[in-house]
Amino acid sequence: MDPLKRTAGISLAFLALAAMTACSSSPGRATDALPPASPQARGTAEASPPAGSTVNASSSQARAAGAGETVVRAKAKAPLRIVDITPMGEKSETIGVGSPIIVTFDRAVPSRAAAEAVLQVQAEKPVDGAWRWVSERKVVYRTKTYWQPHQKVTFTARLGDIPGNEGAKNLSRRFAIGASNIALVDTRKHVMKVRRDGRLVKSIPISAGRGGMVRNGVDVYLTTSGVHLAMGKKPVETMTSGWLGITDPKDPLYYKLEIPWAVRISDSGEYVHQSAGDYQFLGKSNQSHGCVRATPAGAKWFYGIAQRGDVVQVTGTKRKLDWRNGWSFWQLNWTQWKQGSALPTTPPTQD
């Protein structure tokens, strides 16, 4: 009893697949780097107007122009800006060790290499990391291994250092990395084991996706196997059968349920949440539409500790999690991830 409506945030090709999953409630494929802007494009453009046009110029400009000539100065383009940084800063939330840093610009970035070069990440406990472009406007920072817990990470964007963007305001945000919460969901043994700062602290009986509903060649009732991240949580989430196109209350497959302690782990609608009844299946068999159902006590406890960016690793199903599905960036290995950067990677040194 899981899915809800989702909004589009991924490629059209992936949409058809991602829309068919579990319990969605709301919802980029990387492209090649664009070449840096030419030196001529970085300055203020000047050009002659079309024949017969009228141009207003200052008296000094008019005096500087020869007889019969006109002067035109192109209107300065607004500086490239950042319109969103995810996650929020340290005063608003504490994040998990798998957290990405997601930066969204106000428009398509003309020179990705130039923009990426002015984005800096500094951690109190450093670990290798790299940016990957997932759309014309959005770039994501991911580390090679999970962040070390209990530290501060500072992100700085020196936008004014981008050639031709000198009027832009520089930005900075500091994040707080909390405890290392790693949840391992075994869909074959029907258990979720949660490790906190490396120590096993809770084993929760669960029921995962039962399978058996194939749409476009995909069994949408299977929970996706792979490294998910917690993306958000609600004490009560409304879940309906609308994701299946079933909106008629008279349809035997129709449902609309208020589900407690819902922690979202994908864009396609997978959650860890309290089971809506059917407790007899928890720890014994998979009966959900794709979500991870847990006991009331277990779900409430997990909701209480959950931070955005916490790791929820699912194993045991034939359906693989797509790296573009929500914050599933850990589905790419480190070599694959770095290929999405606009900056050249440093080749390994040879002894």
Side-chain angles (χ1 to χ4, degrees), residues 75-96:
K75 184 178 179 181
K77 190 175 183 179
L80 182 69
R81 297 184 303 112
I82 289 174
V83 294
D84 183 74
I85 303 169
T86 300
M88 296 183 288
E90 60 179 332
K91 295 182 179 179
S92 300
E93 68 173 328
T94 300
I95 58 179

Side-chain angles (χ1 to χ4, degrees), residues 200-212:
L200 180 64
V201 293
K202 185 78 73 173
S203 293
I204 303 171
I206 62 96
S207 180
R210 70 188 182 209

Side-chain angles (χ1 to χ4, degrees), residues 6 14 20 30 40 61 93 105 116 127 152 160 169 175 177 202 215 223 227 248 253 268 284 293-294 303 325 332:
R6 57 186 299 275
F14 178 59
M20 302 293 189
Q40 293 87 345
Q61 288 175 325
E93 68 173 328
F105 292 89
E116 187 178 330
V127 61
K152 300 294 175 64
K169 182 180 179 181
F175 307 101
I177 309 291
K202 185 78 73 173
R215 294 290 178 88
T223 309
V227 181
D248 184 356
L253 294 178
S268 59
K284 298 179 180 178
R293 299 177 181 174
Y303 177 93
N325 188 351
L332 296 182

Side-chain angles (χ1 to χ4, degrees), residues 31-307:
T31 55
D32 294 334
L34 300 177
S38 64
Q40 293 87 345
R42 293 173 184 151
T44 302
E46 295 190 1
S48 298
S53 63
T54 302
V55 179
N56 294 325
S58 66
S59 58
S60 60
Q61 288 175 325
R63 286 193 297 269
E69 294 180 350
T70 55
V71 176
V72 61
R73 185 174 296 275
K75 184 178 179 181
K77 190 175 183 179
L80 182 69
R81 297 184 303 112
I82 289 174
V83 294
D84 183 74
I85 303 169
T86 300
M88 296 183 288
E90 60 179 332
K91 295 182 179 179
S92 300
E93 68 173 328
T94 300
I95 58 179
V97 295
S99 289
I101 299 174
I102 305 172
V103 175
T104 305
F105 292 89
D106 65 338
R107 58 183 181 271
V109 177
S111 173
R112 295 183 185 182
E116 187 178 330
V118 304
L119 305 180
Q120 296 182 339
V121 178
Q122 292 182 309
E124 293 175 344
K125 303 173 184 179
V127 61
D128 287 345
W131 294 96
R132 182 184 181 94
W133 292 87
V134 297
S135 78
E136 293 181 339
R137 299 174 51 209
K138 186 176 295 185
V139 64
V140 179
Y141 186 87
R142 202 206 85 185
T143 46
K144 182 178 181 180
T145 58
Y146 298 145
W147 298 105
Q148 291 295 309
H150 308 293
Q151 64 162 319
K152 300 294 175 64
V153 175
T154 301
F155 163 72
T156 304
R158 296 180 288 103
L159 299 179
D161 289 354
I162 299 175
N165 207 53
E166 288 77 7
K169 182 180 179 181
N170 296 337
L171 299 174
S172 181
R173 177 173 291 182
R174 192 160 76 159
F175 307 101
I177 309 291
S180 172
N181 295 328
I182 309 289
L184 302 176
V185 178
D186 189 328
T187 64
R188 292 176 178 169
K189 295 183 178 179
H190 318 296
V191 64
M192 179 171 74
K193 295 185 177 182
V194 183
R195 293 186 176 274
R196 191 166 173 84
D197 289 338
R199 183 172 64 91
L200 180 64
V201 293
K202 185 78 73 173
S203 293
I204 303 171
I206 62 96
S207 180
R210 70 188 182 209
M213 175 67 78
V214 178
R215 294 290 178 88
N216 298 322
V218 177
D219 192 336
V220 297
Y221 274 179
L222 285 178
T223 309
T224 55
S225 284
V227 181
H228 303 69
L229 296 181
M231 300 172 63
K233 61 182 182 179
K234 289 185 179 181
V236 177
E237 181 67 278
T238 303
M239 299 184 180
T240 78
S241 55
W243 67 288
L244 285 170
I246 300 171
T247 57
D248 184 356
K250 296 180 181 179
D251 192 302
L253 294 178
Y254 173 85
Y255 62 85
K256 181 178 181 181
L257 299 169
E258 302 295 315
I259 303 297
W261 315 124
V263 178
R264 188 180 190 128
I265 59 173
S266 79
D267 259 355
S268 59
E270 294 164 298
Y271 289 78
V272 176
H273 64 68
Q274 176 180 319
S275 182
D278 295 330
Y279 300 133
Q280 69 273 20
F281 297 118
L282 299 177
K284 298 179 180 178
S285 65
N286 295 323
Q287 297 294 328
S288 85
H289 292 162
C291 288
V292 178
R293 299 177 181 174
T295 61
K300 184 177 181 180
W301 175 86
F302 185 71
Y303 177 93
I305 69 162
Q307 310 160 135

